[in-house]
Structure formats: structure tokens, C-alpha cells
Amino acid sequence: MRTIRCLAFLLGLFCSAALKPALATELFPSHPIKFVVGFAAGGGTDVVARIMCDWLTPHLGQPCVVENRAGSGGMIAAGAVINSPPDGHTILFVAPNDVIGNALYKTLPFDFLRDSAPVAGIMQLSNVMVVPPSLGVTSVAQFIALAKARPGEIHYASSGNGTSVHMSAELFRMMTNLNMVHVPYRGAAAAYPDLLAGRVHVLFDNIPSAMGFIKAGTLQALAVTTKTRSAALPDIPTVAETVPGYEARVFYGVSAPKSTPPEVIDILNKAFTAAISDPAMQKRIAELGGVPMPMTSTEFGRLLTDESEKWANVVKAAGISVE
């Protein structure tokens, strides 16, 4: 009798373990999904996050809502997601700032690579170097000449410390040996009024949020930051055409808290991959200057590791850090 009870108990444990993944899959998502963006509304990351949520809501059967948690170069948002329940209902919009932060910030209470779980890639794109027409330059070479003639007087804006916008400018400053002053904002959108008024002089912003100003002629695009020209701005040269070896690419993706069940990550990965495979979504991504970047969670994790190593070297070489 004791043996029978023992076998029944073990069988119950086995069945419970076998049912757990199935139950997690069936129950997810059980309530709205919060897509946390580390920057203010109106910037490139926010624009793409909202487009993705619009697609995901009907396809996942639960609302997908964007929550903007701006501050500290996206580190406030990353920390909030990392400390959320690991059930897939709170996910992070990932961009280069999330891997740059590990090297740049001295006192982070978390390690992004260690404490988060990669979910999926969304897209890759370029930053674009824009200046107000009042600056009087129309090329990278002219900008460099002006900055050399006015050391310490040229102010470069960014969407916050440790963002791709900041580091693209920092890499440019380092490679051209320019003396420029960094002015960080709480998101790129907050920088545009000062840039348009000429109170700051250059911004290396994501193409999606800069595109409207470029098309309207209120800002002058000097160059894109990727190795090759962008299909969205085919007539705009690369920075590397003037500064050989320069490259700063941007990627967007998704992560979740570390202990999120693999079955839930798989559901989310398939949903985001399906979204960026939709022809209508691909057309919208192209309009924003991006290219779809479908990846497994493992592939996206590898990208995050590689980019972390690259930007840690730039941070060290530039000798910059943030408390």
C-alpha cells in the first residue's frame, strides 16, 4: 500500500511538471501587456513601440500598451522591467542604450545582460546627424571645420547619457578630435525645440524621429551613422565617407525579466516575428528608415553581448562615465 501511494505521488509530480508549460502557454497573455520604453513620447523608440503594440493587440488577444519611463538614458525603464513579475506581461523596448549602460553607469543596481532575458529582434536602422540650417553647414567636412574653429562652443544634444544618440556623437567627437559640449535631454523629442532654435547645434538621432524635420526642411541632414547609406535617405552620405572607419548602428528589440518562462518567451518571440513579417508592417518600418530584424531569443542575446563589448571599448577609450 505504501509503495502504491509513493508511485501515485511521483506520478502526480510528473503530471504537474508536464502540465506546467501547457498551462503557462494557455494562460498567456491573461491581461494587458505593458511595453516599457525608456524615453519620452515622440522619439524613435516610442514611435516604433506604439506601431508594434497596435499590431500585437488584436493578434495576442490582450491590449498591448506603451508605458514611457524616461530618465537616466533608459536605465530607469530597464530597472523597472527587470524588477517586474517574470510572467511576460511587462516587457522592455531594447535599444543600444541598454547594453551601453553597463559600461557607462558606475552604480547601476543591476546588470542588464545578467538580469534580463532576450526575447526578439524588431529592426535595425541608422542614426542621422542633423543640424539647424542656421548653423550654415551642409556637409560633415564643413561641420568639422566649424567645430575646430570654435572649440568648446559647439553643443551636441542627446536623448540621455548612454543612448545610441549620445554614443554616436561621442564616437564622432573622439574620432575627429573635436572639443564639443554634451547636452543630455530626457529623450530626443525634448531636444528638438532647442536644436530648431539653434541653442544646441547637432544631434545624432534615430532616423524615425528625425525624418519629419528633414522632410520639412527645418533641419539639415549631414550624414547617416551606418557603414552604408540608408534606403530611407539615399542621397545622404555616411559619416564614414568623411571619417573613415566610423560606424554606429542602431537596433531595436525586446527583453523580459530574467526568470520569464521559456514558453512565454517563445510566444512573444513568435508574435514579434510575425509582426515584422507582415507586409504592411515591413512597409511602415521601411518608411521609418529601418530594416526588419527577425531573430530567435538566442540570436538576439548574442547581438546584445556583441554590442555590449563594442560600446564598452568606446566608453573606455573616450574616458567617460556617469554616476
Side-chain angles (χ1 to χ4, degrees), residues 11 31 34 60 62 65 102-103 126 134 148 163 167 176 209 225 242 282 305 311:
L11 182 62
H31 53 273
K34 189 189 302 178
L60 284 177
Q62 288 287 348
V65 295
N102 274 355
S126 176
S134 60
K148 285 186 179 295
T163 61
M167 298 308 293
T176 54
S209 52
T225 64
T242 304
Q282 291 183 341
T305 299
W311 288 111

Side-chain angles (χ1 to χ4, degrees), residues 47 69 144 173 211 255:
V47 169
R69 297 286 294 270
I144 292 172
R173 182 202 64 75
M211 185 70 83
S255 74

Side-chain angles (χ1 to χ4, degrees), residues 139-157:
S139 70
V140 173
Q142 288 179 1
F143 179 89
I144 292 172
L146 177 68
K148 285 186 179 295
R150 296 169 54 185
E153 296 180 23
I154 299 298
H155 293 72
Y156 69 94

Side-chain angles (χ1 to χ4, degrees), residues 210-219 232 287:
M211 185 70 83
F213 298 101
I214 295 168
K215 287 183 175 180
T218 52
L219 289 176
E287 290 171 350

Side-chain angles (χ1 to χ4, degrees), residues 2-310:
R2 187 175 298 167
T3 303
I4 293 172
R5 285 200 195 100
C6 192
L7 287 171
F9 175 73
L10 291 173
L11 182 62
L13 284 179
F14 173 79
C15 290
S16 175
L19 282 172
K20 247 184 176 181
L23 286 174
T25 301
E26 288 173 9
L27 295 175
F28 180 82
S30 61
H31 53 273
I33 292 174
K34 189 189 302 178
F35 202 5
V36 182
V37 176
F39 304 97
T45 52
D46 176 75
V47 169
V48 175
R50 292 179 188 279
I51 292 170
M52 295 302 298
C53 272
D54 287 345
W55 193 95
L56 291 170
T57 292
H59 290 84
L60 284 177
Q62 288 287 348
C64 175
V65 295
V66 172
E67 179 178 298
N68 300 92
R69 297 286 294 270
S72 298
M75 294 301 97
I76 290 175
V81 173
I82 283 169
N83 290 305
S84 295
D87 58 9
H89 290 92
T90 302
I91 55 178
L92 179 70
F93 190 103
V94 178
N97 61 281
D98 292 299
V99 294
I100 293 168
N102 274 355
L104 186 66
Y105 287 85
K106 289 183 177 180
T107 56
L108 282 179
F110 60 85
D111 181 302
F112 180 75
L113 293 180
R114 182 195 66 209
D115 298 330
S116 65
V119 172
I122 296 177
M123 61 188 277
Q124 56 185 341
L125 64 157
S126 176
N127 282 340
V128 58
M129 181 182 182
V130 289
V131 298
S134 60
L135 196 62
V137 300
T138 57
S139 70
V140 173
Q142 288 179 1
F143 179 89
I144 292 172
L146 177 68
K148 285 186 179 295
R150 296 169 54 185
E153 296 180 23
I154 299 298
H155 293 72
Y156 69 94
S158 83
S159 51
N161 289 309
T163 61
S164 73
V165 179
H166 172 204
M167 298 308 293
S168 294
E170 190 60 37
L171 181 62
F172 178 80
R173 182 202 64 75
M174 187 175 68
M175 292 182 69
T176 54
N177 198 31
L178 295 178
N179 180 2
M180 302 192 299
V181 179
H182 179 212
V183 183
Y185 291 80
R186 290 172 66 86
Y192 277 104
D194 284 347
L195 184 65
L196 292 166
R199 289 186 286 270
V200 291
H201 308 105
V202 63
L203 177 68
F204 285 72
D205 197 15
N206 299 172
I207 283 180
S209 52
M211 185 70 83
F213 298 101
I214 295 168
K215 287 183 175 180
T218 52
L219 289 176
Q220 171 73 49
L222 301 186
V224 294
T225 64
T226 41
K227 189 180 294 185
T228 58
R229 295 194 180 195
S230 169
L233 296 168
D235 297 327
I236 304 301
T238 65
V239 173
E241 290 174 46
T242 304
V243 184
Y246 179 96
E247 181 187 11
R249 67 170 176 166
V250 181
F251 61 86
Y252 292 161
V254 189
S255 74
K258 182 67 175 179
S259 299
T260 302
E263 300 79 21
V264 171
I265 288 178
D266 186 56
I267 291 171
L268 287 168
N269 179 275
K270 287 176 179 175
F272 278 97
T273 300
I276 61 177
S277 299
D278 186 313
M281 179 68 78
Q282 291 183 341
K283 180 181 178 183
R284 187 73 180 101
I285 288 174
E287 290 171 350
L288 293 170
V291 178
M293 190 179 73
M295 286 182 163
T296 65
S297 59
T298 300
E299 289 169 339
F300 186 53
R302 198 155 45 236
L303 170 69
L304 294 176
T305 299
D306 291 345
E307 288 291 308
S308 178
E309 291 173 359
K310 171 188 174 176

